[in-house]
Amino acid sequence: MKKSEKNWMVLYTRSRWEKKVDQLLKDQNFNSFCPLVKTSRQWVDRNKVIEVPLFRSYLFVQADQLERSRIMQTSGVVNFISHCGKPATLDNAEIERIRTIVKNYTDIEAISLEDINIGDAVKVINGPLLNHKGEIAQIQGKSVIMVIDNINCALTVKINHRELSNANNLFLS
């Protein structure tokens, strides 16, 4: 990356500071982008549609090498995401693709499946299959297909990833 060349970089922010950091960067005349999606939240007394960041604790900023230190001094900024010791960069086309997706689709959710892989032993921590143990057979969006061994038969269940706990050496217990 040339020093004068401005690239899109990924910033890691304090939890729930994405919109604040985005505004602070814009106030400093940086080109920043925090993709927001509308979602319905229910409180005890009402339902409300609010805008939440698509990527929790992440946003994008376009800057050159010299501007990085100014960005790091912004309240709420934790660090730049790096790859092989250099800031991770995205090209304009990738940023535009994210902008288009956020603009044209309403039911979008970024889901981290970094803790769940095919072949992992898991335990159900919520719902009607509470405490059942099984193995991840397939990942389909927000859901996983899990094989549950029980009384000499295999039961395949499609379950939301949030209802699972990764359990190392689960079958040894």
Side-chain angles (χ1 to χ4, degrees):
M1 174 168 67
K2 296 176 185 170
K3 289 192 180 201
S4 62
E5 184 181 341
K6 289 193 176 197
N7 288 304
W8 283 101
M9 294 179 257
V10 185
L11 273 181
Y12 183 67
T13 68
R14 288 179 59 186
S15 180
R16 299 181 185 230
W17 273 63
E18 305 90 349
K19 292 195 270 187
K20 292 175 204 153
V21 170
D22 184 44
Q23 189 57 54
L24 290 169
L25 290 170
K26 286 179 175 158
D27 291 347
Q28 297 176 61
N29 295 317
F30 286 109
N31 188 10
S32 64
F33 173 50
C34 179
L36 300 173
V37 293
K38 291 182 180 175
T39 186
S40 179
R41 293 288 160 99
Q42 184 171 349
W43 281 268
V44 174
D45 61 337
R46 66 182 192 256
N47 267 342
K48 187 173 182 181
V49 175
I50 60 171
E51 285 188 324
V52 296
L54 178 60
F55 305 108
R56 288 189 198 147
S57 295
Y58 295 100
L59 62 93
F60 309 98
V61 64
Q62 192 175 32
D64 62 31
Q65 193 73 10
L66 298 173
E67 295 171 320
R68 286 182 58 212
S69 62
R70 262 186 49 218
I71 291 169
M72 284 299 298
Q73 294 171 4
T74 303
S75 289
V77 171
V78 175
N79 211 343
F80 283 92
I81 300 300
S82 59
H83 178 69
C84 298
K86 296 179 182 176
T89 60
L90 293 132
D91 57 21
N92 286 332
E94 197 62 38
I95 294 296
E96 288 307 313
R97 190 172 299 122
I98 295 169
R99 285 186 203 272
T100 302
I101 289 168
V102 169
K103 181 180 173 185
N104 293 322
Y105 296 96
T106 55
D107 190 19
I108 311 169
E109 184 179 357
I111 298 167
S112 174
L113 293 177
E114 63 188 34
D115 295 334
I116 298 176
N117 296 301
I118 294 173
D120 283 355
V122 292
K123 180 178 178 180
V124 179
I125 57 172
N126 193 11
L129 296 172
L130 181 67
N131 292 328
H132 278 78
K133 299 172 186 176
E135 183 179 320
I136 300 298
Q138 190 175 357
I139 298 172
Q140 296 179 336
K142 288 194 249 184
S143 300
V144 298
I145 294 180
M146 177 176 137
V147 176
I148 299 175
D149 294 318
N150 201 0
I151 54 173
N152 290 337
C153 70
L155 184 64
T156 303
V157 179
K158 187 175 178 181
I159 190 166
N160 190 301
H161 75 284
R162 289 188 180 117
E163 296 178 349
L164 299 176
S165 171
N166 199 341
N168 294 331
N169 301 322
L170 194 62
F171 295 108
L172 299 177
S173 56

